[in-house]
């Protein structure tokens, strides 16, 4: 059995109707990713309210849990609807009276649970909330689920700020004792201790209760305890006793004779700590991260060994206190645990929330769900525009640096280091600092740009909604001006360009494209990822460096290329920057006066980047960024002027990802405001 559907209405940031939260889940592991305040914790808390948790941690419904829209009154009721699918024969027996049966024999039998909470905080009311109800059936008109059935649905919850060391320590009601109490081997294995046994029993043959009795026997007969006990009895208790009722003290671990209580008391005296097989018993060196792993391992031990109940594990931020390599190990382990069946045939369903690109990169894309602005977007097949080939590609190449895209408010996807270096600087200099807009730049290294963009394109946007995260895919045109082959020495002066396709040359020039063919090629590149909030921006002319020179930064690109070529000598002190810059400008002046066209000048500037022994584009990008920053700082260039002389596709790509972030609820409210005006809520606040 697993939760296959979740619908949440009027709970915290989740609204009603179209603004309600709805999510379909697969069996096994689901990782919820997204920025802060997107709704991940709200989803986990909703599940905790409905199902309860095994640690008996109580949750109190607060007024703030009821959704407050931007316009109108706070909601008066909360609905959480869970659909459980994949029921085993044992599940159907346990929940028989609550099940929803299909219309045909082939239809799946499911358990539908509707949790409803209502506000009653009216004037004069003593109680703020009515008792919640757990209603079953598709229309919430089935029988109320009793406490015994709800007990079988309790989840295991690991909070984000865990005190794992404390949870694994000895103490009354310790979580460790609760876990061990339900472990079959502890309850059933071994023999009782018999005082008449002779010789002394093998401790390995005894049950835990037997070991407790044996320990009591040894303690009671130890010299120190015996002397103390006799002194206590003879000197203190006898004088306080009556004839026929002689008080007699016993010193033992636990004096209770009820087996279940004795077992609990014994377990509450146990703790579990970490050592190392290879490093020795250095448990004192283990910190919060390692103890968190121990805590999760113990919880999973309990869940995997049980033969009844719904195995659901909720973990918030499993990456807490773990270094990156350990995070990857943990997520791989959790995926394995979710795929492993228990003795009763069920598998553990695991739902985790994370802010870690490390974990996001390790989870199969099928098992990722992006939470954005109160809506859930599964990355499973059929939900996105990704093809099967895309999923196979991303499974291999969606690494930790690229997984950063799941946590941004906007994403710029680029194909090289130069773009990754330059675009954030340019954005900041023209007043669109990516840091202020929550924008991440993801460098995919020239491979699969469209594939990464399609992650954010929904297959059925009318049903699921669009992902409200602007994505700019920035790519080169990769078509040279007609003058370039000669300048780049691909052909000799006076020679004609080899014909296509006979020559099988890999480069293209503009004259290869007749009529509208060049524009058709541009449209073809754009079409790979250009739907919904995903837009592809293609270089207006050729490449980024060429276009920067072409539209107004000739001097700056020329100087940056010369500084990049001389980088080693500059860093070793063999050359002075002034001399390199002087030579760069002199050469630019020289061929500017001798070449006839703008295309020829810009191709000459770009030549060092495209030669058989090219200069470093990333290094040149760093120098160019420094040049632009210095000019802005010194007042030699204004932000507005820089924006005007940048390639249009660069400006458009930056503008797309730095548009104001607006949630779907806000958009809906703005529409309402336009038609109804401002309204005042019951708590006296005015929304406009």
């Amino acid at each position: 059995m697993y939760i296959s559907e979740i619908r949440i209405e009027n709970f915290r940031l989740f609204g009603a109707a179209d603004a309600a939260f709805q999510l379909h889940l697969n069996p096994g592991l689901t990782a919820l990713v997204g920025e802060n305040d997107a709704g991940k914790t709200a989803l986990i808390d909703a599940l905790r309210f409905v199902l309860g948790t095994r640690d008996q941690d109580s949750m109190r419904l607060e007024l703030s849990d009821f959704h407050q829209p931007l316009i109108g009154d706070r909601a008066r009721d909360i609905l959480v609807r869970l659909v459980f699918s994949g029921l085993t024969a044992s599940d159907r027996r346990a929940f028989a009276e609550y099940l929803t049966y299909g219309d045909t024999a082939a239809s799946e039998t499911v358990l539908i649970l509707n949790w409803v909470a209502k506000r009653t905080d009216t004037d004069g009311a003593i109680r703020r909330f009515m008792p919640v109800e757990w209603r079953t059936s598709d229309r919430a008109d089935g029988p109320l689920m009793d406490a015994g059935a709800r007990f079988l649905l309790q989840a295991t919850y690991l909070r984000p700020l865990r005190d794992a060391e404390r949870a694994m320590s000895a103490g009354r009601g310790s979580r460790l004792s609760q876990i061990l109490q339900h472990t079959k081997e502890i309850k059933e294995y071994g023999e009782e201790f018999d005082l008449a046994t002779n010789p002394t029993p093998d401790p390995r043959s005894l049950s835990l209760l037997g070991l407790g009795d044996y320990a009591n026997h040894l303690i009671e007969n130890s010299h120190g305890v015996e002397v103390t006990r006799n002194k206590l009895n003879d000197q203190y208790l006898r004088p306080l006793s009556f004839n026929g009722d002689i008080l007699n003290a016993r010193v033992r671990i636990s004096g209770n004779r009820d087996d279940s209580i004795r077992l609990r008391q014994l377990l509450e005296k146990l703790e579990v700590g970490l050592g190392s097989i290879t490093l020795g018993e250095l448990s004192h060196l283990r910190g919060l991260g390692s103890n968190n792993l121990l805590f999760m391992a113990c919880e999973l031990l309990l869940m995997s060994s049980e033969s009844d109940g719904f195995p659901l594990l909720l973990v918030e931020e499993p990456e807490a206190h773990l270094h990156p390599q350990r995070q990857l190990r943990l997520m791989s382990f959790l995926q394995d645990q979710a795929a492993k069946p228990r003795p009763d045939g069920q598998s553990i369903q695991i739902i985790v929330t994370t802010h870690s690109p490390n974990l996001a990169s390790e989870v199969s894309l099928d098992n990722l769900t992006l939470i954005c602005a109160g809506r859930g977007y599964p990355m499973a097949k059929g939900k996105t525009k990704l093809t099967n080939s895309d999923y196979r590609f991303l499974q291999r190449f969606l690494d930790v640096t690229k997984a950063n895209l799941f946590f941004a408010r906007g994403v710029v996807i680029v194909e090289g280091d130069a773009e990754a270096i330059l675009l954030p600087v340019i954005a900041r200099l023209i007043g669109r600092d990516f840091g202020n807009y929550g924008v991440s730049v993801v460098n995919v290294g020239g491979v699969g740009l469209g594939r990464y963009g399609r992650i954010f394109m929904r297959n059925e946007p009318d049903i699921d909604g669009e992902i409200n995260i602007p994505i700019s895919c920035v790519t080169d045109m990769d078509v040279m001006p007609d003058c370039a082959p000669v300048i780049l020495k691909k052909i000799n002066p006076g020679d004609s360009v080899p014909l296509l396709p006979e020559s099988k040359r890999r480069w293209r020039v503009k004259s290869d494209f007749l009529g509208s063919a060049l524009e058709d090629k541009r449209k073809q590149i754009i079409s790979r990822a250009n739907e919904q909030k995903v837009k592809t921006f293609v270089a207006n002319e050729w490449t980024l460096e060429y276009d920067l020179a072409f539209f107004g930064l000739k001097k700056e690109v020329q100087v940056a290329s010369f500084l990049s070529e001389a980088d080693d000598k500059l860093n070793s002190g063999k050359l002075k920057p002034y001399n390199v810059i002087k030579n760069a400008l002199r050469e630019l002046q020289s061929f500017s006066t001798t070449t006839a066209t703008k295309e020829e000048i810009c191709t000459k500037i770009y030549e060092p980047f495209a030669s058989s022994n090219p200069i470093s584009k990333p290094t040149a990008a760093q120098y160019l960024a420094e040049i632009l920053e210095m000019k802005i700082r010194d007042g030699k260039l204004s932000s507005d002027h820089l924006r005007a002389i940048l390639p249009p596709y660069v400006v458009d790509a930056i503008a797309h990802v730095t548009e104001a972030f607006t949630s779907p609820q806000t958009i809906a409210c703005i529409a309402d405001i336009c038609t109804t005006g401002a309204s005042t809520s019951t708590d006296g606040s005015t929304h406009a």
Side-chain angles (χ1 to χ4, degrees):
M1 185 170 71
Y2 70 98
I3 300 174
S4 59
E5 296 179 33
I6 302 173
R7 181 177 176 84
I8 307 173
E9 296 183 14
N10 290 327
F11 181 67
R12 297 183 188 170
L13 79 165
F14 306 135
D18 292 341
F21 180 87
Q22 198 153 325
L23 182 63
H24 292 264
L25 298 175
N26 293 326
L29 175 73
T30 297
L32 307 178
V33 297
E35 65 168 334
N36 290 333
D37 304 319
K40 300 186 297 296
T41 294
L43 167 58
I44 297 295
D45 284 350
L47 293 174
R48 291 171 62 199
F49 271 120
V50 179
L51 303 175
T53 56
R54 298 180 177 217
D55 59 3
Q56 305 299 315
D57 185 29
S58 62
M59 295 181 66
R60 180 179 175 181
L61 203 60
E62 301 289 344
L63 182 63
S64 57
D65 291 321
F66 291 81
H67 178 67
Q68 173 65 70
L70 291 178
I71 291 183
D73 300 335
R74 187 180 296 276
R76 302 211 65 84
D77 52 47
I78 298 172
L79 169 66
V80 182
R81 184 178 186 269
L82 305 180
V83 179
F84 297 83
S85 301
L87 274 64
T88 64
S90 175
D91 295 329
R92 289 191 289 271
R93 286 193 300 270
F95 301 102
E97 62 185 293
Y98 308 115
L99 300 181
T100 297
Y101 299 90
D103 298 331
T104 66
S107 301
E108 184 184 10
T109 299
V110 296
L111 172 63
I112 302 176
L113 184 58
N114 302 273
W115 182 84
V116 182
K118 297 183 180 293
R119 281 177 56 206
T120 60
D121 55 331
T122 56
D123 292 340
I126 298 175
R127 301 183 64 178
R128 296 178 64 189
F129 310 109
M130 288 179 58
V132 297
E133 291 184 342
W134 286 262
R135 287 275 180 192
T136 56
S137 86
D138 189 34
R139 291 182 294 207
D141 56 359
L144 286 166
M145 182 174 283
D146 62 37
R150 298 202 309 269
F151 179 79
L152 296 176
L153 294 177
Q154 285 184 339
T156 297
Y157 170 64
L158 304 185
R159 63 186 68 252
L161 298 175
R162 296 177 286 279
D163 189 348
E165 187 172 356
R166 182 178 179 182
M168 295 294 98
S169 297
R172 184 174 181 180
S174 70
R175 183 57 187 155
L176 178 63
S177 69
Q178 296 173 29
I179 292 170
L180 297 179
Q181 268 186 87
H182 295 89
T183 304
K184 181 179 179 182
E185 289 78 7
I186 285 180
K187 291 193 297 184
E188 299 180 4
Y189 175 79
E191 305 170 352
E192 295 183 0
F193 170 68
D194 184 1
L195 185 59
T197 299
N198 193 14
T200 302
D202 181 358
R204 292 172 297 180
S205 68
L206 298 177
S207 67
L208 188 61
L209 285 175
L211 281 172
D213 292 337
Y214 185 36
N216 277 326
H217 170 68
L218 295 175
I219 289 171
E220 287 182 326
N221 288 278
S222 71
H223 178 70
V225 170
E226 185 177 13
V227 171
T228 302
R229 183 183 65 243
N230 291 338
K231 184 183 294 186
L232 179 63
N233 286 326
D234 295 340
Q235 299 181 23
Y236 297 93
L237 288 179
R238 290 271 169 89
L240 296 172
S241 301
F242 294 111
N243 289 335
D245 185 16
I246 305 299
L247 301 176
N248 189 60
R250 300 181 67 187
V251 181
R252 54 191 296 122
I253 295 175
S254 174
N256 199 300
R257 300 310 302 172
D258 184 274
D259 284 353
S260 63
I261 296 177
R262 284 200 300 139
L263 179 61
R264 175 176 60 80
Q265 291 174 333
L266 279 170
L267 292 173
E268 288 175 346
K269 292 176 172 61
L270 300 181
E271 67 175 16
V272 61
L274 279 175
S276 172
I277 295 175
T278 52
L279 299 178
E281 296 298 322
L282 302 176
S283 58
H284 62 284
L285 298 179
R286 300 296 178 176
L288 292 173
S290 295
N291 283 305
N292 266 332
L293 292 177
L294 176 63
F295 189 20
M296 280 185 265
C298 289
E299 294 286 2
L300 286 164
L301 169 65
L302 171 60
M303 297 181 71
S304 63
S305 62
E306 289 180 322
S307 57
D308 61 354
F310 172 47
L312 173 64
L313 175 63
L314 307 173
V315 189
E316 291 202 77
E317 301 176 19
E319 68 271 18
H321 310 297
L322 297 178
H323 64 277
Q325 289 76 18
R326 189 72 82 179
Q327 290 179 27
L328 297 177
R329 190 89 168 141
L330 170 63
M331 188 53 73
S332 177
F333 174 74
L334 290 178
Q335 291 187 101
D336 291 343
Q337 291 296 307
K340 186 185 301 179
R342 299 195 312 180
D344 62 352
Q346 294 207 67
S347 294
I348 299 173
Q349 185 173 18
I350 302 175
I351 301 176
V352 304
T353 69
T354 182
H355 298 111
S356 168
N358 285 285
L359 295 188
S361 67
E362 184 67 16
V363 178
S364 169
L365 197 57
D366 254 343
N367 294 332
L368 275 178
T369 292
L370 175 65
I371 307 296
C372 175
R375 302 195 71 163
Y377 302 95
M379 297 290 122
K381 291 178 181 178
K383 294 293 186 179
T384 71
K385 287 283 188 177
L386 295 167
T387 66
N388 288 334
S389 173
D390 292 337
Y391 278 101
R392 289 193 298 270
F393 175 90
L394 292 169
Q395 189 62 41
R396 293 188 63 185
F397 295 105
L398 184 58
D399 58 23
V400 61
T401 59
K402 302 179 185 67
N404 182 43
L405 55 79
F406 292 116
F407 305 94
R409 286 197 167 188
V411 182
V412 181
I413 303 174
V414 299
E415 294 180 309
D417 293 331
E419 290 86 348
I421 293 168
L422 272 174
L423 289 184
V425 175
I426 290 173
R428 174 164 50 81
L429 296 179
I430 65 173
R432 295 293 182 103
D433 192 331
F434 285 166
N436 294 338
Y437 291 89
V439 174
S440 290
V441 178
V442 175
N443 180 8
V444 300
V447 182
L449 181 130
R451 298 181 194 265
Y452 291 94
R454 288 193 289 274
I455 292 174
F456 294 87
M457 292 162 49
R458 307 305 291 170
N459 195 37
E460 296 179 311
D462 294 340
I463 298 174
D464 296 340
E466 296 182 1
I467 299 178
N468 194 29
I469 298 176
I471 311 295
S472 289
C473 301
V474 181
T475 185
D476 293 337
M477 185 63 178
D478 288 328
V479 177
M480 310 177 179
D482 290 336
C483 62
V486 172
I487 295 173
L488 301 182
K489 299 180 177 58
K490 295 184 178 295
I491 61 175
N492 295 318
D495 291 349
S496 58
V497 176
L499 296 175
L500 290 173
E502 289 84 356
S503 67
K504 298 182 180 180
R505 57 180 166 88
R506 301 181 68 177
W507 44 272
R508 299 290 184 271
V509 293
K510 288 186 175 181
S511 58
D512 290 327
F513 302 87
L514 302 177
S516 63
L518 184 60
E519 190 56 33
D520 291 342
K521 175 180 172 64
R522 183 184 302 277
K523 291 178 180 177
Q524 182 185 15
I525 297 172
I526 292 174
S527 67
R528 296 170 188 167
N530 202 68
E531 292 183 35
Q532 301 162 39
K533 299 285 283 185
V534 181
K535 304 296 180 187
T536 294
F537 300 89
V538 184
N540 300 99
E541 296 294 326
W542 185 7
T543 68
L544 174 64
E545 294 82 4
Y546 179 91
D547 280 31
L548 288 170
F550 188 87
F551 283 94
L553 293 171
K554 295 184 184 68
K555 290 182 180 180
E556 291 78 4
V557 176
Q558 173 79 353
V559 170
S561 75
F562 269 60
L563 290 171
S564 175
E565 190 172 20
D567 186 59
D568 289 340
K569 293 181 179 180
L570 288 169
N571 288 323
S572 65
K574 295 179 180 179
L575 281 176
K576 300 290 184 183
Y578 173 81
N579 294 327
V580 176
I581 295 170
K582 185 176 163 182
N583 290 336
L585 295 176
R586 184 187 297 117
E587 184 168 316
L588 175 62
Q589 177 66 29
S590 174
F591 61 67
S592 296
T593 57
T594 57
T595 52
T597 68
K598 184 178 182 180
E599 286 81 2
E600 290 174 338
I601 295 171
C602 293
T603 303
K604 288 288 289 182
I605 293 172
Y606 185 67
E607 182 183 5
F609 298 99
S611 68
S612 58
N613 186 26
I615 63 172
S616 168
K617 284 190 174 184
T619 305
Q622 290 174 332
Y623 279 115
L624 180 56
E626 291 173 5
I627 292 168
L628 295 176
E629 287 177 325
M630 183 175 60
K631 285 197 166 187
I632 293 286
R633 184 193 64 209
D634 295 344
K636 296 179 180 179
L637 184 66
S638 70
S639 294
D640 290 341
H641 186 206
L642 176 59
R643 188 184 298 108
I645 61 176
L646 286 170
Y649 86 104
V650 171
V651 177
D652 293 343
I654 293 172
H656 178 61
V657 295
T658 55
E659 60 186 18
F661 177 83
T662 308
S663 70
Q665 295 95 328
T666 303
I667 293 171
C669 288
I670 291 172
D672 290 341
I673 291 172
C674 293
T675 56
T676 63
S679 71
T680 303
S681 67
T682 56
D683 60 9
S685 59
T686 300
H687 305 276

